[in-house]
Amino acid sequence: MNLPVTIQQRLAGLNPRQQEAVRYIDGPCLVLAGAGSGKTSVITTKIAYLVQACGMSARRIAAVTFTNKAAREMKERVGSMLKGKEGHGLTVSTFHTLGLNIIRRELKALGYKPGFSLFDPEDAKALLRDLMHKDAQVDADQINAVQQRISAWKNDLVLPGQALSHAADEDELFAARVFEAYGRHLKAYNAVDFDDLILLPVVLLRDDPEALARWRKRIHYMLVDEYQDTNVSQYQLVKLLMGERQTFTVVGDDDQSIYAWRGARPENLVTLGEDFPRLQVVKLEQNYRSTGTILRAANTLISNNPHVYEKTLWSEMGEGAPIRVVVSRHEEAEAERVAGEILTRRIKERAEWRDFAVLYRGNFQARLLELKLQHYQIPYKLSGGTSFFSRNEIKDAMAYLRLLINPADDNAFLRIVNVPRREIGPSTLEKLANYATDRGVSLFAACHELGLAEQLPERAVERLGRFTHFIDGVRRRMDHGDAVAAIRDMLREMDYEAWLYQNASAPTIAERRMANVWILIDQLEKSMQVAPEDRSPEESAASEETETDDVEAAISRLVLRDILEQQAEEDDSDRVQLLTMHASKGLEFPHVYLLGLEEELLPHRNAIEAGTVEEERRLAYVGITRARRTLTLTLARQRKAYGELMDCAPSRFLDELPAESLEWEGRADKEDPEKKQARGQDAIAGLRSLLG
């Protein structure tokens, strides 16, 4: 085949196995991609190869992955390869975005109206709380358990009727009944939840031959990243779309499957070979990230897990430094050692702060370390914090603001119609939603119609009327006076602060949440005071109309600011990175510290009791393979639990690492006395350089 020059150049930059993975297009292909083996290069080059060398239209190709960040990176890299109209119509998205697009195009077949709402997990939890106990306090653990059970059912393609008929005990039967009511209410609200974004398309394509034919005609080739993280419904979506042509490439690594707790099925790698007997398997084993010592440790550790496909990572980056195992007296000494060492190494090795990452099994392990880093004035970034706009109190306040500027926002209406509590239950809302659907109006507008009295009891109509009358009054005050003052008055009049105190576990938490709401309103006011020269033409035009229009523009700016701040959190600022091993997947750092290599921490006690140590071993493998140049494993002899110091046992995973690759510190039976002395002298030299 005479290939275009650009594709020839790109293929020449790949190793032989990567080239094989790109060139194989005649059937189903599994690329078994080890950590750091360049899988993204394979996926993006293959997309360009399909378009430029094989003449396939980009609009017939769909590449899916699991996170917006991964999809964005993939899109940018493909965009640099496909110029002009070449890439027009290409789908590069998350699984859930692909599902959302299918739902949007198949609304009629699915029985939904345009403008349907998407419930996030907190919206869903609020509905479940109302359904489970309409007038009583609900146990949060029970709500969470039912929510997780429903999510697992949806991920496994179990519908409410099947859940009811297969319930194994009273708890499952209760959850199945809630599942049935939850689905009915979502449909009445013209809403879907996160799991529905995959479930609904799969059920549609499975049961509707015409819809399946439409989508098979639309998508001719699929590429799936992080395939080991797919659940049952995601695999079925790929299988349904690709079952006829069998033209797809999935890229994954069974050794990095660490999400079974949220429905991932690494056995999908096995199922793939059974469902597609012509499956071509290509192994990417050359690692471009880590030293030979780090890879040997990773290979030796993971060999203790059973494998369908064997692979061994190797590197041309040299042996590198030994892996250090540092034993400390207790967790405080462990945190002190890591923080002090990062400071010393930065000066001695002239490293950047961003070169260091500290990984741990649970978020609680970061608390002491944060204090030590602050003490040494070391800048750090703690991943996994809650975004300001994702806090419940902010979402409540934003829903009120959205409803004030757009009474047709049904999702905002549903979130706050009973916050604070107005005794408007889920059965009332279900009937209201059905009435609004029949009339073709919004929920808010339906509350003003006389015909509603024929569908609902007088008390329910009165309560809904009180709520909409209250909102109408606030809107009038916004139109004819100080809009922000009207919003502040609204929050006081409905006594939102008292609602927070009723629902908080401690008064200080309620106080902090109310303070967050006032911060939001202050930011709204500041956003309205943007200087005229800083406004866009659209905002300037709005400012000449009414103050309500200004509020609308200001709310939009607030939402945009939050999005930009979240994107900024992904930047490469010069800070030490603190994150869980789960959150570290897909990342890499020159120097990595793995905290807490102890039994009942890694592997976690729950995993030991549940017999899922294999997944914990994969988690340790992921942590190890994040390191490029140096790796330090730490453990403590004692750690505080429930206010008491408890003795800790070293993790079994330490015994599974190659002894010749490890250099122990703080353990007399394993430590080299000469190296210990050299380290002491090194530490003194480091202190001198600090003081100098």
Side-chain angles (χ1 to χ4, degrees):
M1 183 188 293
N2 292 322
L3 300 177
V5 175
T6 50
I7 278 293
Q8 283 181 337
Q9 291 170 339
R10 292 189 196 286
L11 284 170
L14 303 179
N15 67 42
R17 294 286 76 76
Q18 290 174 325
Q19 289 181 20
E20 181 188 351
V22 169
R23 288 176 182 274
Y24 185 78
I25 59 165
D26 296 327
C29 181
L30 165 61
V31 180
L32 208 63
S37 62
K39 67 182 177 66
T40 307
S41 294
V42 167
I43 294 171
T44 51
T45 305
K46 188 154 192 171
I47 293 170
Y49 183 81
L50 287 165
V51 174
Q52 294 175 338
C54 306
M56 186 176 289
S57 169
R59 67 174 62 254
R60 301 294 178 215
I61 302 170
V64 290
T65 186
F66 281 85
T67 67
N68 286 323
K69 185 180 177 184
R72 197 160 56 242
E73 182 191 348
M74 204 182 290
K75 200 175 288 185
E76 286 167 2
R77 287 172 71 165
V78 173
S80 69
M81 298 182 196
L82 300 179
K83 301 299 183 185
K85 293 183 178 179
E86 274 187 330
H88 190 67
L90 174 70
T91 297
V92 181
S93 72
T94 63
F95 262 107
H96 290 90
T97 303
L98 175 63
L100 183 62
N101 290 339
I102 294 174
I103 291 171
R104 280 180 176 148
R105 290 173 182 270
E106 301 290 347
L107 282 177
K108 191 175 178 184
L110 286 165
Y112 286 86
K113 297 179 296 183
F116 65 92
S117 298
L118 174 59
F119 272 35
D120 69 14
E122 288 303 321
D123 295 329
K125 189 173 288 183
L127 174 56
L128 289 170
R129 184 185 296 115
D130 286 342
L131 290 171
M132 288 167 71
H133 286 299
K134 291 178 185 175
D135 298 306
Q137 283 295 101
V138 184
D139 180 82
D141 290 339
Q142 193 180 12
I143 296 170
N144 288 335
V146 170
Q147 188 171 25
Q148 288 166 12
R149 181 68 260 178
I150 290 172
S151 179
W153 273 326
K154 289 189 175 190
N155 288 337
D156 288 340
L157 290 179
V158 176
L159 300 177
Q162 296 166 287
L164 280 165
S165 61
H166 290 83
D169 53 39
E170 282 299 315
D171 286 345
E172 269 202 14
L173 187 61
F174 174 71
R177 286 181 182 136
V178 175
F179 183 20
E180 193 276 329
Y182 172 72
R184 200 178 68 243
H185 280 75
L186 278 180
K187 194 69 185 280
Y189 298 161
N190 195 40
V192 298
D193 69 15
F194 193 65
D195 296 313
D196 286 332
L197 296 180
I198 309 295
L199 175 73
L200 291 175
V202 170
V203 171
L204 174 73
L205 298 178
R206 184 189 68 190
D207 299 343
D208 186 335
E210 290 182 7
L212 180 61
R214 279 195 297 275
W215 284 93
R216 282 181 171 175
K217 187 178 178 183
R218 187 183 294 270
I219 300 174
H220 292 185
Y221 202 100
M222 278 191 84
L223 301 100
V224 182
D225 190 18
E226 303 288 6
Y227 177 74
Q228 76 282 346
D229 293 338
T230 54
N231 57 36
V232 172
S233 59
Q234 285 159 341
Y235 173 56
Q236 287 301 318
L237 183 61
V238 175
K239 186 181 170 185
L240 282 161
L241 289 170
M242 293 291 104
E244 192 174 45
R245 285 190 178 83
Q246 299 196 14
T247 47
F248 62 83
T249 296
V250 302
V251 182
D253 180 6
D254 50 347
D255 291 333
Q256 294 187 74
S257 181
I258 56 173
Y259 296 118
W261 50 276
R262 69 180 189 201
R265 296 283 182 268
E267 58 268 27
N268 282 350
L269 287 162
V270 182
T271 310
L272 194 68
E274 294 168 353
D275 289 344
F276 298 93
R278 294 196 301 126
L279 184 71
Q280 176 92 349
V281 179
V282 181
K283 298 179 187 178
L284 304 185
E285 297 173 294
Q286 182 174 356
N287 175 285
Y288 294 92
R289 176 187 299 160
S290 308
T291 64
T293 300
I294 290 168
L295 294 181
R296 190 181 310 112
N299 288 332
T300 308
L301 174 71
I302 207 65
S303 67
N304 289 278
N305 273 5
H307 288 84
V308 178
Y309 302 106
E310 296 291 341
K311 68 177 185 309
T312 304
L313 295 180
W314 59 276
S315 166
E316 293 180 341
M317 299 179 70
E319 280 299 288
I323 295 167
R324 296 163 59 237
V325 185
V326 178
V327 185
S328 300
R329 295 190 311 282
H330 44 64
E331 57 192 329
E332 190 165 345
E334 177 189 50
E336 175 76 38
R337 175 69 181 268
V338 171
E341 196 171 285
I342 288 173
L343 181 62
T344 307
R345 288 180 69 181
R346 180 181 186 260
I347 293 166
K348 185 181 170 189
E349 300 172 23
R350 295 181 180 175
E352 304 285 339
W353 294 121
R354 68 168 71 89
D355 292 344
F356 298 93
V358 186
L359 314 182
Y360 34 80
R361 179 64 177 83
N363 278 308
F364 70 93
Q365 292 171 264
R367 292 172 198 156
L368 268 175
L369 186 61
E370 279 193 85
L371 293 173
K372 299 298 180 186
L373 293 172
Q374 287 167 7
H375 174 73
Y376 286 118
Q377 297 184 332
I378 296 173
Y380 65 89
K381 177 192 168 186
L382 182 68
S383 294
T386 306
S387 156
F388 182 71
F389 276 68
S390 66
R391 299 174 192 275
N392 271 336
E393 65 272 17
I394 299 303
K395 289 172 77 172
D396 287 345
M398 285 298 291
Y400 270 101
L401 295 177
R402 281 163 42 207
L403 195 65
L404 286 169
I405 63 172
N406 176 21
D409 189 331
D410 284 352
N411 209 15
F413 179 95
L414 288 168
R415 181 172 183 91
I416 45 93
V417 68
N418 211 30
V419 174
R421 196 161 188 77
R422 298 183 177 93
E423 296 182 349
I424 299 169
S427 57
T428 296
L429 292 173
E430 183 183 13
K431 288 172 185 170
L432 172 66
N434 288 330
Y435 174 80
T437 300
D438 291 341
R439 294 280 300 135
V441 297
S442 70
L443 298 174
F444 191 88
C447 294
H448 290 80
E449 295 201 353
L450 295 173
L452 187 61
E454 296 173 16
Q455 307 295 324
L456 287 173
E458 187 180 341
R459 286 176 63 196
V461 173
E462 183 192 338
R463 287 167 184 160
L464 288 168
R466 267 206 304 269
F467 170 67
T468 52
H469 179 72
F470 173 63
I471 296 296
D472 283 334
V474 178
R475 295 183 74 227
R476 278 194 298 275
R477 278 180 276 167
M478 287 172 66
D479 284 338
H480 299 103
D482 183 336
V484 175
I487 291 166
R488 291 185 194 277
D489 289 343
M490 172 189 74
L491 289 163
R492 293 189 187 99
E493 286 167 23
M494 69 187 188
D495 210 357
Y496 184 72
E497 187 168 9
W499 161 258
L500 289 176
Y501 274 92
Q502 286 167 20
N503 290 278
S505 54
T508 51
I509 292 172
E511 194 177 323
R512 189 162 64 243
R513 287 175 180 167
M514 194 64 218
N516 286 336
V517 173
W518 293 129
I519 288 169
L520 175 74
I521 305 306
D522 288 343
Q523 289 299 312
L524 176 67
E525 192 165 29
K526 286 176 187 170
S527 190
M528 288 175 64
Q529 294 164 357
V530 176
E533 62 270 19
D534 293 334
R535 296 181 186 221
S536 68
E538 292 82 2
E539 288 169 347
S540 297
S543 69
E544 291 166 12
E545 292 172 12
T546 69
E547 194 165 359
T548 309
D549 294 318
D550 263 3
V551 172
E552 187 168 350
I555 291 168
S556 300
R557 278 196 294 270
L558 281 178
V559 175
L560 179 61
R561 182 186 302 175
D562 178 57
I563 293 167
L564 293 174
E565 281 175 1
Q566 286 185 48
Q567 289 175 351
E569 283 178 8
E570 295 173 4
D571 69 4
D572 196 25
S573 55
D574 193 21
R575 294 180 283 173
V576 174
Q577 305 294 303
L578 311 184
L579 62 169
T580 64
M581 291 180 206
H582 281 103
S584 74
K585 191 162 170 292
L587 304 175
E588 57 181 74
F589 310 93
H591 309 292
V592 169
Y593 289 81
L594 291 192
L595 259 57
L597 266 287
E598 300 146 28
E599 285 292 296
E600 301 198 351
L601 197 48
L602 185 71
H604 197 275
R605 181 174 65 248
N606 294 347
I608 295 170
E609 290 171 357
T612 55
V613 171
E614 286 176 13
E615 176 142 341
E616 294 289 295
R617 189 176 286 109
R618 293 195 291 267
L619 191 57
Y621 173 86
V622 165
I624 289 169
T625 53
R626 299 312 95 196
R628 283 160 48 191
R629 286 167 44 202
T630 72
L631 175 64
T632 305
L633 314 177
T634 74
L635 61 151
R637 291 196 186 92
Q638 289 187 313
R639 203 173 284 276
K640 261 189 182 173
Y642 310 109
E644 291 183 29
L645 272 177
M646 311 287 285
D647 291 335
C648 305
S651 169
R652 68 188 72 186
F653 299 152
L654 290 168
D655 293 330
E656 295 175 0
L657 296 173
E660 68 276 10
S661 299
L662 306 183
E663 193 175 272
W664 288 77
E665 300 176 21
R667 185 167 160 178
D669 60 325
K670 300 230 180 195
E671 196 163 11
D672 184 327
E674 289 181 14
K675 286 184 178 175
K676 183 177 181 180
Q677 187 178 359
R679 268 199 319 276
Q681 292 168 348
D682 218 26
I684 292 167
L687 285 170
R688 280 186 183 139
S689 69
L690 276 173
L691 294 169

